[in-house]
């Protein structure tokens, strides 16, 4: 449930608006969207200066279809999926438009149930040669309710004011059980333990956006104002019970975690045409984030008394202000050549305070983020594009949280409040043939890249998973996008890439230097069949690659789906199967300093889904305005992780 672009973080937007959800919540919402409502998907690897400099991988923007007329329309969606467990989803979209008013809203709900398992082997070769083998399997449920309501009022044909509110409520109960075996260098069993972990989480999100847009004249002068407020509330209660063979006192833990996150933002954007071939954009933004996380750990002793002997309880408070301003200029030299230059400045002031240990970490830094885009069309068949941008990747707030999450008595997750932001240079040169075949080469360099790292204590056989800054990350990609129309009823679209990744940095007393050339391919076959049927077959493959300390083994999958249009194309019925050969998953290994680890993870990737979508009312109604809010960066960093 995480989306990355070439091992980098991205922001996901819908109609220019940030989705304001954690990875799990965003995935649930995207699964409920219907392909029939989507016009196009924009992948913006090097965004202009108008966008926040946050997000080293760029932006994915999903544009929905728009109409022109007045009236009402809507759609109803019902879906079900079956893997090992049953899931369902349902939703309704409504839109009503008059000369002065545009009122819209939707509701999506359902449950997604699944499973996952992890198989780990750790070897302590530099100490006593012992080994630790662990297998954990668990099930999870996610019940979600997502509501959006909005209204736009057209004061004049050129002035519109609007308010939009989005709320999200969900619960996420989990039940995990794991077995571990510790053996000496000869394979003789030293200890066996069984851990059961039952948790119940809930989250509540609310976003309110006020927006004003004034199209000043027909030349293109435009002013846009936004004010935003977002509030996230979350809680998680879990109980962990570990028993041992040979018998010893069981480890019984109770964890109660709660968190509040509040975000505020105001921004203004102005567009000023200079000549028929030139225009300038400028604007500013101020934002504030306030995070308060509280974790209570209690351990039961052999007499039934509760205490916190290992001092794992903690409270962390974090505040961050960002002040930004930008200017960009676009110039069209002629019908074949145009260029855009931009410069964005951002001042970041943050204050992290561990109230339990009284550790504080204050930061105050200013950065300039230039961007350049150039395009030249030689003729109707050949074109060349170039882009460059400098961007920042501030760590998600949960990475800065110093809490320790115990998976079992020998495995922990831990945050790092001293994690620094990462900075990325991205360049891309692409050649476009016949406006559909794209061949490109791009290069990226990231300084202080934050990555997941593994720390190991041989004496206690304890492993800690955390995040640290690595000095340098380089990536070079050669790629091609090749759509082919084989017949009138059979088309294919293939995306192939060969890329090189390298991590190099001092780490844990040594030097990590990992690199690899990797091949990646995605291809889709689409068949238009008689009687309003359509069939789609797709496959993906990723070769062996590196991700921080880990060597990731190859993986891939094949999906298939069939669709039938009904009721004069007002409805669609879709039957699909994902990962039909059950080949998805992740397997990895690492050998670095005293760490020797191998792991394999799987989840419910093989599923059969049935979805019905019915569209009613007028199909040519103009949708709600596509606009962005001012909390794109801040709420995007609020998602939970582990």
């Amino acid at each position: 449930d995480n989306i990355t672009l070439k091992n980098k973080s991205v922001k996901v937007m819908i109609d220019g608006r940030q989705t304001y959800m954690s990875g799990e919540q965003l995935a649930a919402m995207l699964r409920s969207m219907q392909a029939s409502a989507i016009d196009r998907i924009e992948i913006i690897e090097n965004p202009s200066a108008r966008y926040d400099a946050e997000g080293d991988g760029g932006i994915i923007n999903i544009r929905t279809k728009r109409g022109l007329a007045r009236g009402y329309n809507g759609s109803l969606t019902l879906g079900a999926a079956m893997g090992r467990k049953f899931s369902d989803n349902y939703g309704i979209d409504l839109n009503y438009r008059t000369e002065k008013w545009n009122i819209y809203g939707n509701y999506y709900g359902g449950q997604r149930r699944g499973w996952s398992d992890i198989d780990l082997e750790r070897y302590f070769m530099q100490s006593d040669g012992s080994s630790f083998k662990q297998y954990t399997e668990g099930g999870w449920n996610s019940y979600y309710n997502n509501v959006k309501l909005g209204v736009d009022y057209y004061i004049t044909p050129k002035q519109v004011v609007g308010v939009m509110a989005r709320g999200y409520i969900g619960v996420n109960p989990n039940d995990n059980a794991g077995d571990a075996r510790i053996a000496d260098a000869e394979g003789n069993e030293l200890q066996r333990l069984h851990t059961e972990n039952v948790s119940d989480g809930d989250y509540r999100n609310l976003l309110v956006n006020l927006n004003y847009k004034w199209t000043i004249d027909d030349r293109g002068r435009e002013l846009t104002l936004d004010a935003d407020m977002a509030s996230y509330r979350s809680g998680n209660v879990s109980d962990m019970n570990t028993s041992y063979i040979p018998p010893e006192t069981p480890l019984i833990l109770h964890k109660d975690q709660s968190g509040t996150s509040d975000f505020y933002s105001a921004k203004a954007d102005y567009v000023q045409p200079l000549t028929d071939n030139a225009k300038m954009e400028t604007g500013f933004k101020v934002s504030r984030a306030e995070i308060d996380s509280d974790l209570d750990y209690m351990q039961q002793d052999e007499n039934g008394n509760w205490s916190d002997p290992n001092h794992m309880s903690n409270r962390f408070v974090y505040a961050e202000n960002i002040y930004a301003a930008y200017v960009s200029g676009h110039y069209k030299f002629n019908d074949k050549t145009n260029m855009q230059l931009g410069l964005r400045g951002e001042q970041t002031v943050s204050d992290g305070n561990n109230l339990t240990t009284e550790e504080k970490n204050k930061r105050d830094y200013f950065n300039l983020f230039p961007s350049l885009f150039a395009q030249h069309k030689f003729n109707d068949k050949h074109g060349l594009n170039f882009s460059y941008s400098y961007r920042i990747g501030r760590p998600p707030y949960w990475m800065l949280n110093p809490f320790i999450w115990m998976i079992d008595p020998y495995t922990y997750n831990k945050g790092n409040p001293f994690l620094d932001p990462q900075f990325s240079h991205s360049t891309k040169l692409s050649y476009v043939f016949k406006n559909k075949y794209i061949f490109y080469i791009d290069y990226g360099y990231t300084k202080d890249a934050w990555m997941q790292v593994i720390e190991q204590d041989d004496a206690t056989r304890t492993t800690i998973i955390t995040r640290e800054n690595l000095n340098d990350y380089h990536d070079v990609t050669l790629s091609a996008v090749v759509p082919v129309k084989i017949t009138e009823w059979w088309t294919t679209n293939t995306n192939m890439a060969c890329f090189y990744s390298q991590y190099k940095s001092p780490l844990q007393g040594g030097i990590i230097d990992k690199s690899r050339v990797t091949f990646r391919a995605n291809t889709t076959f689409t068949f238009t069949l008689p009687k309003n049927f359509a069939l789609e077959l797709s496959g993906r493959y990723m070769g062996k690659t590196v991700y921080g300390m880990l060597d990731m083994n190859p993986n891939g999958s094949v999906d298939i789906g069939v669709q039938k249009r009904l009721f004069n194309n007002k409805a669609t019925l879709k039957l699909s199967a994902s990962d039909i050969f059950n080949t998805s998953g992740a397997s990895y290994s690492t050998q670095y300093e005293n760490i020797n680890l191998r792991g394999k993870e799987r989840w419910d990737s093989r599923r059969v889904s049935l979805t019905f979508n019915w569209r009613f009312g007028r199909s040519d109604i103009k949708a709600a305005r596509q606009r962005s809010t001012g909390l794109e960066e801040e709420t995007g960093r609020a998602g939970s992780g582990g």
Side-chain angles (χ1 to χ4, degrees), residues 86-387:
F86 177 80
S87 300
D88 61 60
N89 65 87
Y90 38 84
I92 186 169
D93 277 278
L94 296 171
N95 192 78
Y96 178 71
R97 182 176 174 84
T98 67
E99 181 179 357
K100 288 286 189 179
W101 296 91
N102 187 39
I103 303 171
Y104 57 94
N106 60 42
Y107 167 77
Y108 292 105
Q111 64 169 335
R112 182 169 173 83
R113 305 170 67 219
W115 62 273
S116 62
D117 62 39
I118 303 174
D119 200 344
L120 287 176
E121 297 181 9
R122 304 199 291 262
Y123 297 90
F124 306 92
M125 305 307 296
Q126 294 187 9
S127 56
D128 58 2
S130 62
S131 62
F132 183 100
K133 296 184 180 182
Q134 175 186 23
Y135 177 79
T136 302
E137 182 174 14
W140 49 266
N141 301 316
S142 178
Y143 302 90
Y144 58 92
N145 297 274
N146 183 15
V147 179
K148 181 175 73 174
L149 296 172
V151 58
D152 294 328
Y153 176 69
Y154 290 80
I155 305 170
T156 69
K158 294 185 177 181
Q159 295 186 73
V160 57
V161 62
V163 59
M164 183 268 292
R166 179 186 288 124
Y168 196 96
I169 299 175
V171 295
N172 188 21
N174 293 280
D175 188 353
N176 296 283
D179 290 286
R181 175 180 180 271
I182 301 174
D184 62 21
E186 287 73 37
N188 301 310
E189 183 175 296
L190 300 175
Q191 187 180 55
R192 184 180 294 270
L193 56 151
H194 176 78
T195 299
E196 294 186 357
N197 198 328
V198 178
S199 66
D200 192 1
D202 66 273
Y203 38 82
R204 304 171 302 282
N205 303 342
L206 175 65
L207 165 74
V208 178
N209 166 253
L210 300 176
N211 175 270
Y212 169 78
K213 183 177 181 180
W214 179 21
T215 304
I216 301 172
D217 55 34
D218 295 333
R219 294 180 59 228
R221 284 199 299 161
E222 184 178 284
L223 175 66
T224 305
L225 305 176
D226 279 282
D228 303 272
M229 182 278 293
S231 176
Y232 287 22
R233 300 292 183 267
S234 64
N236 184 277
V237 177
S238 66
D239 290 283
M240 190 181 79
N241 190 325
T242 300
S243 57
Y244 302 87
I245 299 175
E248 59 179 84
T249 302
L251 176 63
I252 301 175
L253 288 175
H254 176 80
K255 182 183 74 173
D256 191 342
Q257 181 182 350
S258 61
T260 64
S261 303
D262 296 307
F263 308 94
Y264 309 92
S265 169
K267 72 184 184 82
D269 300 288
Y270 176 71
V271 180
Q272 173 67 55
L274 302 176
T275 67
D276 291 341
N277 296 324
K279 69 176 181 179
M280 181 189 73
E281 297 184 40
T282 188
F284 70 89
K285 173 186 171 182
V286 295
S287 65
R288 178 171 176 82
E290 299 175 352
I291 316 296
D292 190 341
S293 300
D294 196 5
L295 175 66
D296 286 324
Y297 260 112
M298 298 297 287
Q299 180 176 334
Q300 188 180 60
D301 63 22
E302 56 188 7
N303 297 318
N305 300 315
W306 292 91
S307 62
D308 184 16
N310 297 314
H311 307 290
M312 296 177 63
S313 299
N314 210 335
R315 185 179 176 192
F316 180 66
V317 176
Y318 182 84
E320 181 181 84
N321 295 327
I322 300 177
Y323 310 92
Y326 75 91
V327 62
S328 68
H330 181 273
Y331 186 75
K332 183 179 179 181
F333 294 92
N334 49 51
D335 291 338
K336 294 183 176 181
T337 307
N338 62 80
M339 178 180 292
Q340 179 174 300
L341 289 168
L343 183 65
R344 184 180 184 92
E346 293 190 356
Q347 178 81 27
T348 305
V349 181
S350 65
D351 185 2
N353 187 2
N354 189 328
L355 300 182
T356 304
T357 64
E358 298 185 351
E359 288 182 306
K360 296 184 178 182
N361 185 23
K362 294 186 177 182
R363 289 190 173 95
D364 188 344
Y365 54 93
F366 175 79
N367 301 99
L368 291 173
F369 301 96
S371 59
L372 167 66
F373 308 89
Q375 181 183 59
H376 180 74
K377 294 186 67 175
F378 296 97
N379 50 47
D380 292 339
K381 292 184 177 180
H382 305 279
L384 202 63
N385 302 321
F386 174 80
S387 63

Side-chain angles (χ1 to χ4, degrees), residues 525-559:
F525 298 90
T526 303
F527 304 88
T528 303
L529 305 176
K531 298 184 178 181
N532 290 328
F533 277 95
L535 176 69
E536 185 174 279
L537 178 67
S538 62
R540 67 169 187 88
Y541 172 80
M542 171 72 80
K544 191 170 185 177
T545 186
V546 295
Y547 185 71
M549 297 178 67
L550 300 178
D551 293 296
M552 309 293 297
N553 293 323
N555 67 84
S557 63
V558 176
D559 305 331

